[in-house]
């Protein structure tokens, strides 16, 4: 027995050793492409770095964030454009994720019922997900075109609007145009995640509810929703964190418009267009901190346990 | 059949049609527009008409779009190959071996996949310039790894955990090395998972925009998303919508076809990446 135990523990030790050897290349690459650039970005946030002369930077403490100079406050924390970007991001995230959840739920419940051609519908809803974001932005930009867009044509044809709307350029509609395209593009993802949750539900409680003659809407709120809550929460977190960093869609659909500028768009504008690497890095560090805090909160509150079920 | 049930059925089918139209119409309309040029493009009709290939020709002649496609293909395939290789070996360690610090490591990898890209933008810019790979494909391959690698490791780990425990034990008892176990036992079993993960990583790299926009300078080094976003015509006041739609259709059709062929696998991959997290 002791010989067997000794050889078993020797085997375990050998496996752990090889596990680290297998992990090392991945960890080196990850440190190079994620760890190091992140550390440098946070460092730049405390300097006056400029894109044209990155080597020649000076440490300036918190001045990019907040600085008092000759009776005036300067820095990111008192920049109205930054706060505008923060509120735009929050508004975009809350509205688009809420709409995607509701529509995703409707699509998932539909796909969960048996009907002829279900496979085709599932294939159809995968199309928006498969289309590159830039392509969706351009496709919708064309459909929303103020002069030649099909959407104005249709809405005017059925008499909802009397004159063309400049969807992406007008301050009143620009954010709604962005939200509409995002909802179109990511509802499939929500629907598929919710559908996966629906498909593992036990069927017996539904049969019981049917026998008792309970209204389907009541069944949905009393049985289905509580049962798929874990899957729904995970999908919401993933989508929410994704929406907070949105860049591509807005950059292409409405470019640097103030009405739709999000934190990522703001940070890149400072970094690249204005060459203010220090100030832009301060903005991206703030975005990173916000997302990091949300991730930590989620992991603690949601008690997501990792690695416990491993064999 | 009661009237109430009849109305219910009609409403259900109306819902199905609404979902299908909403999902498919924008792409359908892009295809229609790509075959229209001149004044036809501005008629805004939802019915197909005369088919005109002029946009498809001019998109290749007015800018190096063929080169852009090649760039995207090279970047995406290289990134997928590197991610899958590093991901498979790491997933074996994370999914099959119990060791101290594994939970923390998984947590770190998950956190990296939640990074906002812009949070590493200036650091990545400096790194790429220092390595001398600014405005070149290696720079894009390097930066794309931050998107695909954590995701690949995460999804492959969840797949790896589901395989039965007895698999490698017999091989170890027979004296096989860990590398033999991974390459001879897990690789053949994991290939469906690798196809799924590889496809998802490919789509992520194919669609990547922020890095490709920031780390390239010349039109010849651009990838497809940047080329489409910056497509401009002879006049700077009106965008060449016909060319843009043609370019969009060219780069989207292969992806849509792949996704439709592998739809079951993709759905399982997406849910493995999220639901089980």
């Amino acid at each position: 027995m002791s010989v067997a135990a000794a050889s078993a523990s020797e085997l375990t030790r050998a496996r752990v050793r090889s596990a680290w050897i297998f992990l090392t290349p991945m960890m080196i690459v990850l440190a190079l492409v994620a760890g190091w650039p992140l550390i440098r970005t946070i460092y730049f946030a405390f300097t006056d770095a400029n894109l044209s002369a990155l080597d020649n930077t000076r440490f300036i403490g918190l001045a990019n964030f907040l600085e008092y100079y000759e009776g005036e406050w300067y820095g990111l924390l008192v920049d109205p454009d930054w706060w505008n970007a923060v509120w735009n991001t929050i508004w975009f995230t809350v509205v688009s994720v809420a709409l995607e959840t509701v529509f995703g739920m409707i699509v998932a419940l539909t796909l969960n019922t048996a009907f002829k051609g279900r496979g085709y519908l599932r294939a159809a809803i995968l199309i928006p997900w498969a289309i590159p974001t830039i392509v969706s932005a351009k496709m919708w930009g064309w459909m929303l075109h103020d002069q030649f867009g099909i959407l104005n044509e249709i809405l005017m044809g059925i008499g909802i609007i009397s004159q063309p709307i400049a969807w992406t350029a007008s301050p009143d509609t620009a954010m709604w145009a962005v939200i509409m395209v995002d909802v179109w593009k990511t509802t499939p993802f929500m629907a598929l995640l919710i559908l996966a949750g629906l498909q593992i539900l036990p069927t017996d409680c539904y049969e019981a509810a049917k026998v008792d003659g309970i209204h389907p809407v009541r069944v949905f709120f009393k049985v289905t929703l509580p049962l798929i809550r874990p899957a729904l929460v995970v999908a919401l977190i993933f989508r929410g964190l994704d929406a907070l960093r949105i860049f591509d869609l807005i950059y292409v659909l409405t470019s640097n418009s103030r009405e739709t500028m999000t934190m990522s768009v703001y940070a890149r504008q400072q970094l690249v267009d204005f060459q203010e690497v220090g100030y832009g890095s301060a903005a991206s560090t703030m975005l990173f901190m916000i997302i990091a805090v949300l991730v930590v909160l989620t992991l603690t509150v949601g008690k997501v346990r990792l690695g416990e079920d491993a064999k | 059949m009661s009237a109430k049930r009849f109305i219910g059925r009609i409403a259900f089918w109306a819902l199905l049609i609404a979902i299908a139209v909403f999902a498919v119409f924008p792409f359908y309309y892009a295809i229609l527009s790509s075959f229209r040029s001149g004044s036809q493009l501005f008629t805004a009709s939802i019915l197909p008409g005369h088919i005109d290939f002029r946009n498809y020709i001019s998109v290749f002649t007015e800018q190096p779009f063929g080169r852009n496609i090649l760039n995207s293909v090279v970047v995406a395939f290289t990134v997928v190959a590197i991610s899958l290789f590093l991901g498979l070996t790491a997933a074996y360690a994370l999914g099959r071996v119990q060791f101290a610090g594994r939970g923390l490591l998984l947590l770190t990898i998950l956190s990296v996949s939640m990074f906002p890209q812009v949070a590493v933008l200036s650091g990545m810019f400096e790194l790429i310039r220092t390595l001398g790979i600014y405005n070149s494909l290696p720079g894009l391959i390097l930066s794309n790894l931050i998107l695909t690698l954590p995701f690949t490791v995460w999804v492959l780990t969840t797949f790896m955990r589901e395989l039965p425990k007895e698999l490698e034990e017999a091989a170890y008892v027979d004296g096989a090395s860990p590398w033999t176990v991974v390459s001879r036992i897990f690789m053949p079993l994991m290939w469906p998972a690798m196809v799924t993960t590889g496809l998802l990583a490919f789509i992520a790299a194919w669609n990547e925009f922020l890095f490709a926009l920031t780390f390239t300078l010349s039109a010849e080094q651009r990838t497809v998303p940047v080329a489409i976003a910056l497509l401009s015509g002879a006049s700077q006041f009106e965008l060449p919508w016909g060319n843009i739609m043609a370019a969009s259709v060219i780069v989207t059709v292969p992806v849509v076809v792949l996704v439709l062929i592998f739809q079951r696998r993709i759905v399982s991959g997406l849910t493995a990446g999220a639901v089980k997290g």
Side-chain angles (χ1 to χ4, degrees):
Chain A
M1 186 216 139
S2 64
V3 176
S7 86
S9 79
E10 174 58 34
L11 186 62
T12 311
R13 238 176 297 142
R15 281 183 60 183
V16 170
R17 207 162 42 234
S18 63
W20 282 109
I21 293 170
F22 280 158
L23 280 170
T24 309
M26 185 274 291
M27 283 161 64
I28 291 173
V29 173
L30 214 53
L32 181 75
V33 299
W36 175 248
L38 180 70
I39 291 170
R40 290 300 289 176
T41 304
I42 295 173
Y43 165 75
F44 280 135
F46 297 96
T47 67
D48 63 352
N50 191 282
L51 198 62
S52 53
L54 271 185
D55 332 311
N56 192 15
T57 60
R58 210 159 44 88
F59 187 80
I60 55 167
L62 287 169
N64 283 325
F65 295 93
L66 194 63
E67 186 188 29
Y68 191 74
Y69 183 72
E70 293 189 348
E72 291 267 11
W73 289 101
Y74 294 94
L76 195 65
L77 294 176
V78 290
D79 183 348
D81 287 342
W82 164 250
W83 288 109
N84 170 57
V86 172
W87 293 122
N88 279 345
T89 312
I90 294 172
W91 171 248
F92 167 80
T93 303
V94 170
V95 176
S96 64
V97 174
L99 289 175
E100 281 151 28
T101 312
V102 172
F103 289 134
M105 182 71 83
I106 293 172
V107 174
L109 288 171
T110 312
L111 283 173
N112 200 35
T113 53
F115 59 88
K116 229 181 187 168
R118 180 164 70 162
Y120 292 106
L121 189 68
R122 199 180 72 167
I125 68 151
L126 268 171
I127 288 177
W129 176 81
I131 292 177
T133 312
I134 299 309
V135 171
S136 348
K138 282 291 181 192
M139 267 169 30
W140 279 88
W142 172 230
M143 291 192 354
L144 297 171
H145 196 280
D146 51 348
Q147 284 170 287
F148 315 114
I150 186 86
L151 195 74
N152 279 337
E153 194 85 5
I154 291 174
L155 292 179
M156 279 162 71
I158 54 177
I160 291 181
I161 55 172
S162 55
Q163 54 190 15
I165 297 176
W167 294 98
T168 55
S170 154
D172 305 325
T173 53
M175 187 52 109
W176 287 106
V178 170
I179 289 173
M180 179 159 62
V181 182
D182 193 68
V183 167
W184 175 78
K185 172 127 180 68
T186 35
T187 296
F189 176 77
M190 271 306 212
L192 291 175
L193 290 193
I194 296 171
L195 184 64
L198 286 174
Q199 282 171 342
I200 52 168
L201 294 186
T203 50
D204 44 354
C205 46
Y206 288 95
E207 277 152 19
K210 209 171 178 180
V211 169
D212 292 346
I214 297 168
H215 194 272
V217 174
R218 213 176 129 78
V219 173
F220 171 74
F221 281 105
K222 295 284 174 191
V223 181
T224 311
L225 206 52
L227 281 175
I228 59 164
R229 225 189 63 165
L232 195 61
V233 168
V234 172
L236 270 175
I237 293 166
F238 267 70
R239 270 304 305 144
L241 293 173
D242 207 33
L244 283 173
R245 57 187 175 184
I246 184 167
F247 173 80
D248 316 20
L249 175 60
I250 291 177
Y251 184 83
V252 174
L253 198 63
T254 59
S255 62
N256 287 334
S257 142
R258 194 182 142 82
E259 279 70 36
T260 56
M261 183 167 285
T262 56
M263 290 189 264
S264 287
V265 179
Y266 176 90
R268 187 187 182 273
Q269 190 187 34
Q270 297 291 337
L271 274 168
V272 181
D273 300 346
F274 303 158
Q275 313 245 317
E276 300 278 357
V277 172
Y279 195 73
S281 297
S284 37
T285 303
M286 288 285 283
L287 173 62
F288 172 74
M289 298 295 282
I290 292 169
I291 290 183
V293 167
L294 287 176
V295 170
V296 171
L297 271 181
T298 322
L299 291 176
T300 357
V301 176
K303 291 193 203 93
V304 179
R305 292 189 192 89
L306 295 164
E308 272 187 12
D309 54 334
K311 285 164 183 145
Chain B
M1 192 192 283
S2 69
K4 203 176 150 192
R5 248 190 91 189
F6 182 68
I7 292 170
R9 284 209 76 81
I10 299 248
F12 183 69
W13 281 98
L15 177 68
L16 294 186
I17 291 167
I19 294 173
V21 168
F22 189 61
V24 176
F25 181 78
F27 191 47
Y28 164 79
Y29 190 65
I31 296 174
L32 278 193
S33 303
S34 71
F35 287 115
R36 290 174 180 159
S37 44
S39 60
Q40 257 207 317
L41 189 59
F42 304 116
T43 52
S45 160
I46 58 165
L47 296 172
H50 178 69
I51 288 184
D52 187 333
F53 283 96
R54 260 183 290 171
N55 294 326
Y56 284 88
I57 296 164
S58 57
V59 77
F60 284 101
T61 51
E62 286 169 16
Q63 58 265 310
F65 195 64
R67 178 66 197 266
N68 298 144
I69 293 177
L70 187 68
N71 289 345
S72 271
V73 169
V74 169
V75 170
F77 272 105
T78 316
V79 166
V80 168
I82 297 173
S83 302
L84 280 181
F85 175 75
L86 294 175
L88 185 73
T89 49
Y92 166 76
L94 290 165
R96 311 292 297 188
V97 185
Q98 195 91 44
F99 59 89
R102 189 184 58 173
L104 188 70
L105 201 57
L106 272 169
L107 206 61
T108 313
I109 290 163
L110 184 66
S111 317
V112 173
S113 71
M114 310 251 175
F115 269 25
Q117 265 177 282
V118 78
V120 294
L121 198 63
S122 47
M124 189 72 87
F125 184 83
E126 187 198 36
L127 179 69
I128 281 176
R129 274 242 294 246
T130 311
L131 295 175
I133 49 178
Y134 179 68
N135 194 29
S136 74
L137 299 189
L140 298 185
I141 292 168
L142 183 79
S143 51
N144 266 299
L145 283 172
I146 192 180
L147 298 179
T148 55
L149 187 57
F151 162 81
T152 312
V153 173
W154 184 257
V155 177
L156 287 179
T157 304
T158 61
F159 277 114
M160 193 72 102
R161 275 186 195 165
E162 282 168 10
L163 298 174
K165 192 185 175 184
E166 295 74 27
L167 267 178
E168 71 255 55
E169 281 179 356
Y172 277 124
V173 170
D174 291 346
S177 75
W179 173 246
T180 315
V181 169
V182 170
S183 60
R184 292 291 170 80
I185 297 178
F186 284 106
M187 202 97 105
L189 288 168
M190 286 293 282
W191 80 258
M194 287 175 68
V195 169
T196 309
T197 321
L199 199 59
L200 291 172
F202 182 86
I203 290 173
W206 185 257
N207 296 353
E208 198 286 320
F209 180 65
L210 178 55
F211 291 149
L213 175 73
T214 311
F215 303 145
T216 60
L217 208 56
S218 50
E220 280 74 24
Q221 298 299 322
R222 284 175 191 155
T223 56
V224 159
V226 184
I228 291 179
L230 302 180
L231 209 67
S232 54
S235 146
Q236 65 176 115
F237 301 107
E238 189 48 59
L239 289 170
W241 286 106
N243 286 4
I244 294 176
M245 291 303 125
S248 299
V249 171
I250 293 167
V251 303
T252 307
V253 165
V255 182
V256 168
V257 169
L258 275 178
V259 166
L260 293 184
I261 292 173
F262 291 102
Q263 51 170 308
R264 276 171 199 288
R265 292 196 183 291
I266 285 180
V267 172
S268 75
L270 280 179
T271 45
V275 171
K276 287 168 194 161

